[in-house]
Amino acid sequence: MRNKFIFLLILITIPMWDLYGQVAIDPGRGFTLQNEFVKYVFEANGLGLSAMIDRRTGFNHIQQVDGSHLLWEMAFGKGTMRPRISNNYKPCSYINLFTKTNGDQIAVLEWNKMRFWEEDSIVTVRVTIELPESDGIATWRIQVQNLSNYWGLWEVACPSINGFPSEGAYDLALPVCGSGGELLKNWKGFFKTRSPSGFLPMQFISFNSGNNGVYFSSMDGESRAKDFSVDSRKKTLSLIRYPENMGVTGSDLPDNYAVAFGPFQGGWLEAAQRYRPWALQQIWTKKGPISQRPEFPKSAINIGFWIRDTWVWDLPDSVEKNTGDPRTWTYDERDPHQMNLPFLKVMKIMGVPIAFQWYGWHKNFFDNEYPHFLPPIPGFKERIKELVDSGAVIVPYVNGLSADSKIKDWNQFDPYAIKDEEGGLRQKFYRDGAGRLTPMCPSQVPWHYTMSKLADSITGSYGANGIYIDEVSCNSHELCFNKDHLHPLGGGHYWADGWREFYQNLLLTINQRGKSVVVTSEAANEIFFDLITANLYTGRPSDYEIPLQEVVYSGYTLFYGSVCDFRKSNQLFNFSVGQSFIDGKQIGWMDFDLFRRPRFSAKVDFLRQCARLRMATQKFHTFGRLLGPLSPENHIPEFEEEFTEEGVHKGKVPSVEARLWQADDKHLAIFIANYTDKEIPFTYSIDPTKYGLNAGQYDLTEITPEENIPLATGGRQIQRTEIVKPDKVLVIEIAPRR
């Protein structure tokens, strides 16, 4: 009866007046689901996906395999045992195909009452595939009913595909930690990455062989624990769900969300544009764009660039600063004003508001004795006051994720720590000299209180107008099996719920004094975009980077960071800062050494140029939308540099790049950056009507920090060549002629 009840629930979710056809199909003959865009072919009996053909080109993305193809897999758990079954364990029991009045098709596939490990009729698996009439990308759902009196579910993968992707046959567009995303051409490799996570900060990836693309996205607005798993050597792809109460006798997997999977025509940009409409309907974007959020800190909007540094900023010229190595930091206790002079000098040089991420302000050694950051080094409060009064945003560092299990009062924090399956701590090793940093479970309100109290002291008693919460946004959902925490064991959405509540409590606490505090965190996990003011990108300049996340979320949050070793070449620095600028990031996150050595003056000039232009283009960069790269119609020379992302390697990048942005008033803007010391022409064409900007003629205006310079009037099709001067960034607005 329970199986029949669940099947009725499926029908209830589909209004009966939307259906005009139901067809029963014999699983023994296989099954084909198709429309004019795609053909999905399922093998007989096991219903493994054996072909996925883009009918517009005839391109089949699924290759032949040894044995049978897959559709789903699952593992049961008890103790340390993990027995597995797949869709080929037993033949499919039945297939029903429904057709909706709008032409959409819904296929329901069921493996009914399977025997498993000496128990009769204990497992039912139901896969539902919905294929829209007007698209080739289907949505895939799975539900598992478990009536075992011994086994619990451990993990469930669907879709789980073999025969795709072929090694080296696709370019992979991947959200990554610390940058907007990466495009890995002719990709070979494998990964298994948790979501939600700062390491996979959005829930989609895409593959492209030429214009033949495959889109893969979990449509999980509750942010449950899952892994994206892809292996090009084995030709496998899967979305692995971690159920609530993993390994607990009788645990099930409800049909919580769909996965979008299927072929499309286009590249990474089209994939990002597919993801954006779904993303803008989720809880983390419900507050609306920044332009419609009166509570959004104005001080964050007006940041020209970022600096990060430690306690002492004016080291002798003979000392090469290494901000990334805490063992080199110094802790002088001198006159606060004298210690602030390098900052005040930089503000005068740059002529724009500065945000400062402050490390080493606390007495305990970095990554030790957390969460005991207070009291700070003497003079901290006085230094903050002078800098805030000067117009700066001061963002001291704290770690919001971990406590050091070597502290004397660890017994107060151990009850709130994440525990693994055997009851052990999920400790992290960062480097020699760090403490035993141990992640706290976000479901535990006492940890929220600890960090909220700390943040309130820093922003209230000490006067900071910002705070940086390290690691929280960067971390991934760690499966917690601490039974005392009273959340479902292992999987579920308590991790996302807990950290969202953590941020909500922190914001409520620090804003109760009437201040508008800037809250930032490491990386850019989408599920916190309504709670975090700005998101730090720590990635180094890369020939792989694409503005994947910026295309999806521009206008809804802020990204910052253009990290670069400024001791290297000017063009590498210009590439890092300039590309970040045209992609919409708040630039910077270098230390004060950049400004105190004359040999870096050209880099400072380029940074200042971008920072000042950022302030003049907020209608696009802060409140607008990044539409994507603007392709040149002429040859653009490349230059070669040594890059470190994805391993040290030599790579080539264009000397000039451009992006197309759109403001709320529909005006367009072209952002162009020349990274080299040579003058380079850039030819482009734009049809403004394609973006909803309809007019007979258009005015083109160069935006500069000082004034707007009229350039030309264009017709419905704009075609121009800009002669981009050396080391130059250029912004041209396109508006209907008045």
Side-chain angles (χ1 to χ4, degrees), residues 289-301:
I290 295 173
S291 61
Q292 298 175 17
R293 292 178 58 185
E295 89 289 354
F296 198 90
K298 300 299 185 293
S299 57
I301 291 171

Side-chain angles (χ1 to χ4, degrees), residues 341-503:
L341 287 178
F343 195 116
L344 300 174
K345 181 180 179 181
V346 169
M347 287 194 73
K348 187 175 181 180
I349 291 171
M350 296 295 290
V352 295
I354 298 175
F356 176 47
Q357 196 161 309
W358 201 343
Y359 293 83
W361 57 270
H362 42 86
K363 289 184 177 180
N364 49 307
F365 189 64
F366 189 74
D367 278 348
N368 283 265
E369 301 178 49
Y370 296 167
H372 301 316
F373 288 85
L374 298 176
I377 298 172
F380 181 58
K381 183 174 182 178
E382 292 78 7
R383 295 184 71 181
I384 285 179
K385 184 179 187 312
E386 181 178 34
L387 296 175
V388 170
D389 288 347
S390 72
V393 177
I394 305 303
V395 186
Y397 164 97
V398 299
N399 189 307
L401 175 73
S402 302
D404 183 353
S405 63
K406 294 194 297 182
I407 56 179
K408 292 180 180 179
D409 58 344
W410 168 249
N411 63 303
Q412 295 185 30
F413 298 98
D414 179 77
Y416 315 131
I418 292 175
K419 300 292 176 67
D420 64 20
E421 297 90 320
E422 301 299 320
L425 298 172
R426 291 197 186 276
Q427 295 180 336
K428 295 179 179 290
F429 179 81
Y430 292 89
R431 54 181 173 78
D432 287 335
R436 254 183 224 140
L437 296 186
T438 305
M440 298 290 105
C441 182
S443 71
Q444 299 303 289
V445 173
W447 178 250
H448 300 187
Y449 174 77
T450 297
M451 293 309 301
S452 293
K453 184 179 178 182
L454 173 63
D456 186 45
S457 294
I458 292 170
T459 60
S461 301
Y462 292 96
N465 53 357
I467 190 161
Y468 173 74
I469 310 294
D470 194 33
E471 287 203 285
V472 171
S473 293
C474 185
N475 196 40
S476 59
H477 182 136
E478 297 192 65
L479 307 178
C480 181
F481 292 85
N482 192 328
K483 295 181 180 179
D484 294 334
H485 289 179
L486 304 181
H487 58 63
L489 299 185
H493 54 82
Y494 62 87
W495 186 92
D497 293 347
W499 283 124
R500 285 185 56 81
E501 185 179 352
F502 167 91
Y503 278 130

Side-chain angles (χ1 to χ4, degrees), residues 41-52 60-73 86-89 160-164 235:
V41 180
F42 300 88
E43 291 174 336
N45 297 315
L47 276 296
L49 184 64
S50 60
M52 185 170 71
N60 184 10
H61 292 278
I62 308 291
Q63 305 301 308
Q64 292 184 347
V65 299
D66 294 333
S68 300
H69 282 88
L70 293 172
L71 180 63
W72 57 261
E73 297 178 279
S86 74
N87 54 287
N88 295 306
Y89 171 66
S160 184
I161 306 300
N162 54 352
F164 172 84
K235 298 185 180 66

Side-chain angles (χ1 to χ4, degrees), residues 404-665:
D404 183 353
S405 63
K406 294 194 297 182
I407 56 179
K408 292 180 180 179
D409 58 344
W410 168 249
N411 63 303
Q412 295 185 30
F413 298 98
D414 179 77
Y416 315 131
I418 292 175
K419 300 292 176 67
D420 64 20
E421 297 90 320
E422 301 299 320
L425 298 172
R426 291 197 186 276
Q427 295 180 336
K428 295 179 179 290
F429 179 81
Y430 292 89
R431 54 181 173 78
D432 287 335
R436 254 183 224 140
L437 296 186
T438 305
M440 298 290 105
C441 182
S443 71
Q444 299 303 289
V445 173
W447 178 250
H448 300 187
Y449 174 77
T450 297
M451 293 309 301
S452 293
K453 184 179 178 182
L454 173 63
D456 186 45
S457 294
I458 292 170
T459 60
S461 301
Y462 292 96
N465 53 357
I467 190 161
Y468 173 74
I469 310 294
D470 194 33
E471 287 203 285
V472 171
S473 293
C474 185
N475 196 40
S476 59
H477 182 136
E478 297 192 65
L479 307 178
C480 181
F481 292 85
N482 192 328
K483 295 181 180 179
D484 294 334
H485 289 179
L486 304 181
H487 58 63
L489 299 185
H493 54 82
Y494 62 87
W495 186 92
D497 293 347
W499 283 124
R500 285 185 56 81
E501 185 179 352
F502 167 91
Y503 278 130
Q504 288 164 352
N505 290 338
L506 186 142
L507 287 168
L508 183 64
T509 301
I510 62 179
N511 289 328
Q512 66 185 350
R513 301 174 186 268
K515 296 176 63 175
S516 182
V517 178
V518 173
V519 178
T520 69
S521 191
E522 180 185 19
N525 189 338
E526 66 183 355
I527 71 171
F528 303 127
F529 282 173
D530 59 325
L531 303 170
I532 292 294
T533 313
N535 309 270
L536 171 62
Y537 281 160
T538 56
R540 273 52 180 173
S542 169
D543 52 332
Y544 300 127
E545 183 166 357
I546 53 175
L548 194 67
Q549 198 167 45
E550 295 95 318
V551 166
V552 174
Y553 284 110
S554 50
Y556 282 78
T557 191
L558 295 175
F559 306 105
Y560 70 98
S562 53
V563 184
C564 183
D565 184 350
F566 50 80
R567 294 160 183 82
K568 295 185 177 180
S569 72
N570 283 1
Q571 65 185 12
L572 181 63
F573 181 89
N574 290 356
F575 173 70
S576 176
V577 172
Q579 188 181 71
S580 295
F581 169 73
I582 64 176
D583 285 346
K585 305 173 195 173
Q586 292 179 341
I587 56 173
W589 214 66
M590 297 90 176
D591 60 51
F592 283 104
D593 236 25
L594 173 66
F595 301 94
R596 69 185 186 92
R597 298 182 185 273
R599 71 177 185 270
F600 302 138
S601 60
K603 295 183 173 74
V604 172
D605 289 342
F606 191 83
L607 183 72
R608 179 172 55 241
Q609 178 191 180
C610 292
R612 295 182 68 222
L613 196 48
R614 163 107 195 176
M615 302 302 293
T617 57
Q618 287 185 358
K619 66 179 285 188
F620 297 104
H621 265 168
T622 302
F623 305 117
R625 176 183 177 184
L626 174 59
L627 297 173
L630 182 62
S631 299
E633 296 181 348
N634 61 316
H635 171 71
I636 301 295
E638 297 180 320
F639 64 87
E640 185 177 75
E641 285 283 354
E642 182 178 86
F643 297 99
T644 57
E645 295 293 280
E646 298 294 331
V648 177
H649 66 281
K650 289 290 184 71
K652 291 184 177 181
V653 293
S655 299
V656 176
E657 289 186 297
R659 304 287 189 259
L660 185 63
W661 284 78
Q662 187 162 39
D664 284 347
D665 62 7

Side-chain angles (χ1 to χ4, degrees), residues 675-705:
Y675 310 129
T676 71
D677 60 1
K678 297 178 176 60
E679 188 175 84
I680 298 175
F682 187 94
T683 302
Y684 60 92
S685 295
I686 295 176
D687 178 4
T689 62
K690 180 181 176 182
Y691 309 102
L693 188 63
N694 299 302
Q697 289 186 310
Y698 301 91
D699 289 328
L700 277 67
T701 305
E702 181 181 355
I703 301 175
T704 74

